[in-house]
Structure formats: C-alpha cells, structure tokens
Amino acid sequence: FITNRTNRVWAMDWDSHNRSTRNTLLFETDHWAYQDTADMTSAQITYRQALRDITAHENFPNLANEDWPAKPE
C-alpha cells in the first residue's frame, strides 16, 4: 500500500518535472515564432509541435533523453 502511494508520488513528480522542461524548451524557441522575424522552418515547427505533444508520448512521464525531440539548428 505504501509502495503504491510512493510510486504514485514519484510518477507525479516526473510529470511535473517533464512538463516544466517542455515549457522551458518552448520558451527558449519562442523567438522563432515572433511576427517580426522570418518564418519558421518546417523543422522548427515540427520540433515545437513535438514538444507540445510530449505528454502523449508512450513513455510519459518516464521519459528518457532519447524520447525528447532534437532541437533543430
């Protein structure tokens, strides 16, 4: 019983951590979407959409480094 409660808390912590990481990564690329800059590339659009969709990833909230999308240059 205690183990289940502990595991549930641990999973919730990873959920919060990964959502926070996702939000930070989106924030770091917000300048790509500013109206006064050139249009985003398709790679940038795909990356930002993949970040938004990360909570639907089959491994969420237990994401490994390779589960995160690669940031385009």
Side-chain angles (χ1 to χ4, degrees), residues 12-62:
M12 287 178 9
D13 288 342
W14 275 114
D15 180 87
S16 296
H17 171 76
N18 286 324
R19 287 176 190 273
S20 178
T21 299
R22 184 260 329 256
N23 292 343
T24 299
L25 293 171
L26 280 168
F27 175 76
E28 290 174 354
T29 60
D30 277 348
H31 67 278
W32 291 347
Y34 291 157
Q35 291 181 359
D36 60 348
T37 59
D39 291 334
M40 284 193 291
T41 66
S42 62
Q44 292 170 333
I45 292 169
T46 300
Y47 172 73
R48 288 178 53 86
Q49 187 61 53
L51 288 173
R52 287 186 201 95
D53 295 340
I54 198 72
T55 57
H57 192 283
E58 64 183 285
N59 295 335
F60 192 85
N62 302 312

